[in-house]
Amino acid sequence: MTINNSSKALLTGNEAIALGAYDAGVCVATGYPGTPSSEILPFLAKLSDATVNWSINEKTALEIAVGASIGYKRSMFTTKHVGLNVASDPLMTLAITGVKSGLVIITADDPNMHSSQNEQDNRFYAKFAKIPLLEPSDSEECLKLTSMAFDISEKFDTPVIIRITTRISHSGSIVAIPNISDEYRRRCCTPRSYKKDIKKFVMVPIYARKRHKTAIERLERLREYSNNSGINKIEYNGKEFGIITSGISYQYAKEAAPSASFLKLSFSYPVPDLLIKKFVENVKNVVVIEELEPFIQEEISSLGLNLSGKEYFKRHGELTPDLVENGLIKAGFLSTDNNYNTLKISDNVNSDVSVNKNVEVNHGDLNCLHKMLPPRLPALCSGCPHTAIFYALKKLRVPVMGDIGCYTLGALPPLSAMDSCISMGLAFGAAQGLSMTNSSVKKITGIMGDSTFFHSGITSLIDAKYNNACFTAIILNNSTTAMTGGQDHPGTGKNLSPDQTVSNKIDIRKVVESIGIDEIYTVDTYDYNETYKILKKALDSEKLNVVITNRPCVLYPKKLDIGKKFKILNGCNGCSLCMQIGCPSILPSNLIGTDKNMPFIDSSCVGCSICMDICIFNFIEEIK
Amino acid sequence: MKINDAQGIQNILICGIGGQGVVLAGKIIGIAAFESGLDVKKSEVHGMSQRGGSVSTHIRFGEEIFSPLIPEHAASTILSFDIYETLRYVKNFANNKTIVISSDYGMMPLWTSKNENDKIENGSITTENITNALRTEFEYLHLLNNKKIAADLGNIKVSNIVSIGLLSNYTDIKREIWLEVVKQNVPKKTVDLNLKAFLIGRNEGNK
């Protein structure tokens, strides 16, 4: 965080949310890492004396926040969009019990799936649970709305959802730093004595029926607040064109049509019916601009007002300034001549030539070259401890039920050794299910990382043992949550609190043993031949067994270099077998411009030695 | 030597390969603009694409900024750490007036199948051809071997700072602010080296 003299700072949305929670006196904050939400808790831990912890999964994280709220402490739970599915069980009932101290849920959605398996629109959770929804459109609003959300939560006795998206989380803009008094923080942190309140928190039918009624009545009060609180704002700029929008779409729309009138919904559920009616009465043509689902559009439609929206702005992926501008042109709000396209690079006639046909192309032409440029896909790192496992699984030609983490990249060529990626912890359940179908002559495997195993693999492994399933469960234990940036988990024995001695380390092998699985293998994946042998043995066994890898991640907690370098010897026949492991340090001959038809290992090699094990002609050796 | 777009907004797009330091470069440029008292927005990429994928950061500054994303063909400057990524991003973000500052080398991305890779061998996406195409298209083009400049200074880790130094010529941001921001945002032990790299880059632009 940089703070200049005027006490302003350039913060990302995630950082601003942490600051807003700090400003509101949050005492307990929990979550499970997930892009794009992952940076909120680490930033809060640095700022604040609050208890800030990674939890084992989102459900547990929300439950901890619930307990803290029952104990009169403001609490916050952060998650990515799909994580709220995991926490939806406590959420849906918390929605009717309400809270004691403020409880705020941050859900970070990922339109366009930059780093996710789906792009569900979590605004529907607010409607589903009948709780208020806030949608900030920049970092300043992230700070203010987060801080206000705790007051709203207490005023209306409800959890509050703040829904952000990747472009809010990972965009930076300027915020005014609030004055946070030590005295206020102290007051927030003073314990209040616990009071039992079974009518509020014991949701047996007799009490739950009453609470549900209360939650429905609460919606009406929330709607009134949505109309009158001033959080939702009308900006009049003429009566011809009006835009109703929320979140990042507001910024794109302001960019494209600064002279339109705006109704900006920052408190977007329940929608402010009176404000909307007033806006539509005062402005002649109104469209709704929102990313993903027509959530606001449908809410407005249920007020009996039919406005267009999704007719012009797509329902999948992210919006961009250009998509919004083009939509507004189609809607008749803008004419085509104020388009940026006037500056466009001239499209050369040659750009129509397909590279697949052997027509002569102009190699000096930018558009032509661009058409030939392959996409640059993410890949497992040089020295990644997952590589050998996937290469061995490919050789063994077994069905692999996969999971979510860096290792999902094992599904991409050239490794191509993972057959599913659907939800956190799916692998062992799906492996059990697939093994029941007898559709494969080979034994089934399920594969997941250490953090995923703790998140939701333990339960499915117990189920497998309970139901006498037979498959090989592989746990890629790299001692970190790598994909999201190297967060701690129960297997690392550390957490975010400055005093890290409070955390205990949970031993994965002991967990597996305690289930009663007795065939457990530990493998060092930097020894490819041994890895292959052990996997083969595990797959040949007719029992449920577990393979645990033990090499740490090469990126987290710090960059690892084994200190060895490898080279390909002259005489190599260029079979390119070593390139089948997808190591980014091994480059094909045509890239380095030599005449020799042999790959090349560049200086980014960290020395894992797998390629040496794989070269059947022994043409790879260590540089001494 | 500054070229702004019509509304006085500077749109800087930084691109490269995940892990190359695109996010940190964006942070330094964003903070420098912020310290100059301008409105700033930036947008970066985390997660999956950081594992060696193609990445970009958008930085916009001026009097008032709405969208954190640069509209298509509206980049005033493209700063690239890989010439293949330069090729990728100029297509959608550059116009003929865009200042392109790119490393003159790069790592060729590969198609995932042998068939498609053969197309590359027959075709010609060589750095030489990309260089020629960029020269034809852009009036303001700097191709530099920032890695070599950094290596000559003693540490290739400062290669991005060399490029940022060059870029600094094309902004309204004062020299002192740049130097202070570089100082504050690199590891303490490497401050002198980074400042030297920045100034060498800055002088490259005046050649």
Side-chain angles (χ1 to χ4, degrees):
Chain A
M1 176 168 68
T2 353
I3 298 178
N4 76 8
N5 300 333
S6 56
S7 29
K8 284 188 171 177
L10 179 61
L11 297 186
T12 64
N14 281 352
E15 290 169 339
I17 283 173
L19 189 59
Y22 179 54
D23 180 41
V26 73
C27 285
V28 174
T30 55
Y32 180 81
T35 313
S37 71
S38 312
E39 299 82 13
I40 301 171
L41 293 187
F43 196 72
L44 180 61
K46 269 191 256 170
L47 274 180
S48 154
D49 49 354
T51 304
V52 183
N53 276 337
W54 293 123
S55 303
I56 194 166
N57 62 31
E58 293 86 353
K59 179 174 183 287
T60 303
L62 178 53
E63 287 159 350
I64 294 166
V66 170
S69 168
I70 291 175
Y72 298 102
K73 285 280 170 282
R74 286 187 162 186
S75 60
M76 178 168 80
F77 156 58
T78 71
T79 179
K80 72 181 290 170
H81 57 335
V82 285
L84 196 52
N85 300 337
V86 178
S88 61
D89 189 4
L91 172 68
M92 294 308 292
T93 304
L94 173 69
I96 62 170
T97 65
V99 301
K100 284 283 185 196
S101 270
L103 193 158
V104 174
I105 294 166
I106 312 290
T107 165
D109 294 8
D110 190 14
N112 206 31
M113 298 170 271
H114 295 277
S115 204
S116 303
Q117 65 273 30
N118 79 19
E119 54 179 356
Q120 65 185 51
D121 188 331
N122 273 9
R123 292 179 297 174
F124 286 98
Y125 269 116
K127 184 174 181 174
F128 194 18
K130 305 183 192 80
I131 59 179
L133 171 70
L134 300 173
E135 283 189 85
S137 75
D138 63 12
S139 298
E140 176 73 23
E141 286 179 12
C142 280
L143 192 160
K144 284 195 176 144
L145 292 177
T146 304
S147 185
M148 282 174 83
F150 288 92
D151 296 334
I152 296 171
S153 172
E154 284 161 12
K155 183 177 161 88
F156 293 95
D157 188 6
T158 173
V160 174
I161 290 184
I162 297 180
R163 186 257 194 173
I164 48 177
T165 56
T166 306
R167 282 300 160 205
I168 299 292
S169 285
H170 292 159
S171 287
S173 59
I174 297 172
V175 303
I177 305 290
N179 273 328
I180 299 164
S181 78
D182 290 345
E183 202 272 324
Y184 176 67
R185 290 278 326 162
R186 253 196 308 280
R187 211 172 57 228
C188 294
C189 293
T190 315
R192 281 174 63 184
S193 49
Y194 172 72
K195 266 193 212 136
K196 189 169 160 148
D197 189 350
I198 60 169
K199 286 183 182 170
K200 185 168 167 61
F201 291 112
V202 180
M203 289 301 96
V204 291
I206 180 175
Y207 301 138
R209 283 173 195 137
K210 282 186 189 143
R211 290 299 314 179
H212 187 201
K213 239 181 97 194
T214 310
I216 293 167
E217 287 158 9
R218 183 179 67 199
L219 266 183
E220 276 322 300
R221 288 188 294 128
L222 284 167
R223 188 179 300 281
E224 198 189 314
Y225 186 79
S226 180
N227 277 315
N228 303 327
S229 64
I231 299 179
N232 292 321
K233 284 190 192 94
I234 295 180
E235 303 166 15
Y236 282 121
N237 278 318
K239 309 228 154 176
E240 192 67 24
F241 299 112
I243 296 169
I244 301 178
T245 183
S246 73
I248 194 70
S249 312
Y250 168 77
Q251 305 292 352
Y252 300 152
K254 274 299 252 193
E255 178 96 23
S259 56
S261 290
F262 280 81
L263 168 54
K264 175 162 169 265
L265 301 181
S266 300
F267 189 107
S268 48
Y269 189 81
V271 292
D273 53 348
L274 301 178
L275 277 185
I276 292 166
K277 284 177 182 159
K278 188 171 145 199
F279 189 70
V280 172
E281 273 164 27
N282 285 321
V283 184
K284 217 159 122 196
N285 306 290
V286 179
V287 289
V288 182
I289 307 181
E290 54 191 321
E291 233 167 20
L292 296 176
E293 303 297 332
F295 179 80
I296 294 170
Q297 195 182 352
E298 283 173 2
E299 285 303 299
I300 292 175
S301 151
S302 74
L303 301 174
L305 296 166
N306 278 320
L307 300 181
S308 51
K310 284 297 148 189
E311 295 84 344
Y312 306 116
F313 307 97
K314 62 178 189 169
R315 193 174 173 166
H316 59 89
E318 267 193 299
L319 292 180
T320 63
D322 297 274
L323 286 171
V324 167
E325 184 176 47
N326 291 336
L328 285 170
I329 290 169
K330 272 190 241 159
F333 276 48
L334 296 173
S335 61
T336 42
D337 45 334
N338 54 1
N339 203 316
Y340 284 99
N341 291 349
T342 45
L343 299 167
K344 202 168 181 173
I345 294 172
S346 53
D347 253 333
N348 197 301
V349 277
N350 277 331
S351 59
D352 292 333
V353 177
S354 161
V355 284
N356 294 318
K357 293 174 198 157
N358 262 338
V359 199
E360 200 174 318
V361 292
N362 177 0
H363 289 150
D365 179 71
L366 212 57
N367 287 314
C368 247
L369 291 169
H370 187 268
K371 280 203 169 170
M372 283 189 280
L373 183 69
R376 192 187 297 276
L377 300 172
L380 293 175
C381 301
S382 179
C384 176
H386 305 332
T387 303
I389 286 276
F390 285 110
Y391 188 69
L393 287 172
K394 186 182 183 181
K395 290 276 143 196
L396 290 159
R397 295 170 180 279
V398 289
V400 181
M401 290 295 101
D403 223 293
I404 292 168
C406 285
Y407 47 88
T408 310
L409 295 168
L412 298 179
L415 289 166
S416 312
M418 189 190 278
D419 310 343
S420 70
C421 162
I422 295 176
S423 65
M424 287 287 287
L426 170 105
F428 298 162
Q432 185 189 158
L434 186 59
S435 72
M436 290 167 176
T437 64
N438 294 323
S439 56
S440 164
V441 288
K442 303 243 173 131
K443 194 176 178 188
I444 313 287
T445 58
I447 191 163
M448 65 175 71
D450 44 354
S451 190
T452 309
F453 177 68
F454 285 112
H455 180 284
S456 46
I458 296 175
T459 43
S460 49
L461 193 60
I462 293 175
D463 194 277
K465 177 68 185 170
Y466 168 52
N467 286 312
N468 208 22
C470 175
F471 63 90
T472 293
I474 303 168
I475 301 165
L476 299 166
N477 180 16
N478 63 354
S479 308
T480 190
T481 315
M483 181 86 271
T484 46
Q487 293 80 6
D488 285 300
H489 61 65
T492 69
K494 293 179 188 157
N495 213 326
L496 289 163
S497 320
D499 178 14
Q500 298 201 323
T501 52
V502 294
S503 307
N504 292 308
K505 185 171 170 160
I506 314 297
D507 187 318
I508 293 178
R509 194 184 168 98
K510 282 187 184 153
V511 171
V512 175
E513 280 169 359
S514 72
I515 295 171
I517 296 171
D518 47 21
E519 197 179 324
I520 306 170
Y521 304 92
T522 304
V523 292
D524 172 4
T525 50
Y526 279 2
D527 183 340
Y528 171 73
N529 294 321
E530 187 65 15
T531 301
Y532 180 87
K533 247 187 263 169
I534 288 176
L535 274 180
K536 187 158 189 329
K537 193 174 166 200
L539 288 163
D540 286 343
S541 149
E542 284 172 9
K543 277 167 73 177
L544 172 69
N545 50 26
V546 175
V547 176
I548 305 170
T549 70
N550 64 3
R551 277 278 169 183
C553 176
V554 290
L555 281 186
Y556 306 109
K558 58 172 200 275
K559 264 194 172 169
L560 283 187
D561 194 329
I562 311 302
K564 295 179 188 170
K565 295 276 175 221
F566 289 82
K567 64 175 177 190
I568 296 175
L569 299 174
N570 280 328
C572 157
N573 63 8
C575 75
S576 298
L577 189 62
C578 55
M579 295 198 59
Q580 293 308 306
I581 57 175
C583 173
S585 299
I586 309 178
L587 308 173
S589 55
N590 64 330
L591 282 200
I592 48 163
T594 73
D595 297 335
K596 289 177 204 157
N597 181 28
M598 54 186 260
F600 172 79
I601 301 176
D602 80 2
S603 61
S604 62
C605 168
V606 303
C608 73
S609 79
I610 300 170
C611 57
M612 187 179 74
D613 292 349
I614 279 161
C615 179
I616 48 175
F617 301 107
N618 295 324
F619 276 121
I620 298 181
E621 77 170 28
E622 192 184 338
I623 303 171
K624 299 272 181 186
Chain B
M1 195 167 45
K2 64 176 165 67
I3 297 153
N4 293 345
D5 88 346
Q7 292 115 354
I9 293 171
Q10 286 222 310
N11 294 324
I12 299 178
L13 183 120
I14 313 173
C15 59
I17 304 172
Q20 262 184 340
V22 169
V23 172
L24 179 63
K27 188 179 167 195
I28 288 173
I29 297 169
I31 292 172
F34 167 65
E35 292 293 345
S36 305
L38 297 165
D39 190 18
V40 187
K41 284 199 176 165
K42 68 175 168 121
S43 191
E44 55 201 34
V45 180
H46 295 239
M48 186 72 101
S49 32
Q50 280 183 302
R51 299 286 169 278
S54 166
V55 293
S56 66
T57 289
H58 296 216
I59 300 155
R60 313 187 70 205
F61 47 91
E63 216 161 281
E64 188 178 21
I65 310 290
F66 291 108
S67 164
L69 288 180
I70 299 170
E72 287 186 10
H73 306 291
S76 31
T77 310
I78 290 180
L79 173 65
S80 169
F81 301 131
D82 181 291
I83 197 165
Y84 293 97
E85 294 310 309
T86 314
L87 173 61
R88 192 183 312 282
Y89 286 92
V90 291
K91 180 77 170 71
N92 287 331
F93 288 99
N95 56 65
N96 323 77
K97 287 181 191 148
T98 299
I99 300 148
V100 178
I101 301 170
S102 169
S103 301
D104 63 4
Y105 54 87
M107 193 142 69
M108 174 75 172
L110 293 176
W111 288 101
T112 46
S113 81
K114 183 97 177 77
N115 264 353
E116 284 172 309
N117 275 321
D118 286 344
K119 270 195 325 211
I120 298 172
E121 285 167 49
N122 300 334
S124 292
I125 326 182
T126 59
T127 51
E128 199 188 349
N129 281 338
I130 298 173
T131 302
N132 289 337
L134 291 171
R135 286 229 160 91
T136 332
E137 205 75 47
F138 297 102
E139 195 182 333
Y140 306 98
L141 173 71
H142 292 274
L143 293 167
L144 76 165
N145 193 336
N146 51 325
K147 210 189 246 178
K148 183 168 183 304
I149 296 170
D152 291 346
L153 276 171
N155 191 341
I156 57 161
K157 283 186 179 162
V158 299
S159 57
N160 291 359
I161 296 289
V162 174
S163 303
I164 294 172
L166 206 167
L167 175 136
S168 70
N169 291 302
Y170 292 101
T171 62
D172 295 333
I173 302 164
K174 289 193 185 112
R175 184 175 181 273
E176 307 83 74
I177 291 180
W178 279 111
L179 294 177
E180 187 57 29
V181 171
V182 169
K183 211 165 129 187
Q184 298 294 332
N185 288 281
V186 298
K188 279 217 172 76
K189 282 182 189 163
T190 65
V191 166
D192 288 343
L193 188 66
N194 274 290
L195 290 177
K196 220 186 261 178
F198 180 86
L199 290 172
I200 288 180
R202 197 167 161 97
N203 286 333
E204 283 289 311
N206 294 328
K207 277 181 187 168

